[in-house]
Amino acid sequence: MRVRPTLLAPLLVLGAAVLVAAKPPMRFQPDPSSVIAAEIAFSRLAQEKGQWTAFRATADDDAVMFVPQQVSAKAWLKGRADPPASVKWSPSAVYVSCNGNLAASTGNWTRPDGAVGYFTTIWRRDKKGAWKWIADHGDTLAKAREAPEFLSGKVATCKRPARGEGPPQDGPPAAGKDAPLPPPDESLLWSAQVAPDGGRRVTVRMWNGSDYDIVIDDRVGAAS
């Protein structure tokens, strides 16, 4: 009679493992302040530890940069020595997707030599919920953009899928290993177009409930 409890123990452990595997994915609030905090921490890390060190520490594995052509950030940053002094930057506006997993920030930067410019960074939550940047883009300017008195943060309207595409994005996730995956959140979209001469256009569009608003439209001329 003592064999039965011994056999049940592994079954109980297996059942617990199945329950853990069926746990729904983490959900996050679409909070612009968390993106602002990540951007400020990113800039502070650059000042304290070095510019490219900070870029390496905060980039996701598939992150891209424009130098001016699009390159893998991980490959481009590998082994790159930090400059003696880092560029300084601060965000002016932040846009977050409805599900809180994607964001875009834009603002001004200043180099140690006094040169000024702007940046746009695309952020994405990793599996642990931390913000990691997946695209970094910017350019110099003859005169810095006027900085707003207050930082602004906007959240996209939830974009419901068309009929037959699955449950609404803001509905509860289906359970079970055979449940269909929820449709991707398309409330915040970004794109980058790079010409052979190095000119590029980076745009971010946000769903307003009936159409997309272009909230960031950066255009860079051909590389000199």
Side-chain angles (χ1 to χ4, degrees):
M1 296 300 295
R2 294 187 180 183
V3 176
R4 183 170 297 175
T6 305
L7 292 175
L8 284 176
L11 292 177
L12 290 174
V13 173
L14 178 60
V18 171
L19 289 176
V20 171
K23 184 178 180 180
M26 296 176 66
R27 285 178 174 267
F28 304 100
Q29 292 297 320
D31 180 15
S33 63
S34 67
V35 186
I36 294 172
E39 189 70 76
I40 292 175
F42 181 18
S43 179
R44 184 180 298 120
L45 183 63
Q47 301 304 312
E48 296 174 352
K49 300 296 183 180
Q51 181 170 308
W52 301 132
T53 296
F55 272 69
R56 283 189 291 267
T58 53
D60 215 336
D61 289 341
D62 59 347
V64 297
M65 302 175 71
F66 303 89
V67 294
Q69 294 298 324
Q70 180 175 313
V71 297
S72 162
K74 188 174 183 179
W76 192 86
L77 292 168
K78 184 177 181 180
R80 191 168 293 272
D82 293 315
S86 171
V87 63
K88 295 182 179 180
W89 70 89
S90 59
S92 298
V94 168
Y95 305 94
V96 186
S97 64
C98 168
N99 67 359
N101 286 329
L102 190 70
S105 58
T106 189
N108 293 332
W109 57 256
T110 304
R111 287 178 184 159
D113 62 4
V116 297
Y118 69 91
F119 70 89
T120 291
T121 307
I122 308 299
W123 296 87
R124 184 178 63 201
R125 297 268 194 187
D126 65 11
K127 293 180 180 180
K128 296 182 179 179
W131 286 110
K132 296 286 188 179
W133 67 268
I134 58 172
D136 182 78
H137 145 81
D139 194 26
T140 56
L141 294 171
K143 181 180 179 182
R145 291 175 175 175
E146 184 176 355
E149 185 176 357
F150 301 101
L151 296 179
S152 65
K154 296 182 179 180
V155 177
T157 301
C158 293
K159 190 175 189 298
R160 293 179 177 272
R163 182 171 297 178
E165 291 184 358
Q169 289 181 213
D170 51 357
K177 64 178 181 179
D178 296 325
L181 294 174
D185 181 1
E186 295 182 346
S187 62
L188 191 73
L189 303 175
W190 74 280
S191 64
Q193 299 172 326
V194 185
D197 61 9
R200 63 185 178 274
R201 181 182 183 184
V202 175
T203 60
V204 177
R205 297 180 294 151
M206 189 167 66
W207 185 250
N208 63 19
S210 59
D211 201 357
Y212 284 101
D213 293 326
I214 297 178
V215 293
I216 296 176
D217 190 1
D218 297 336
R219 305 185 187 213
V220 180
S224 57

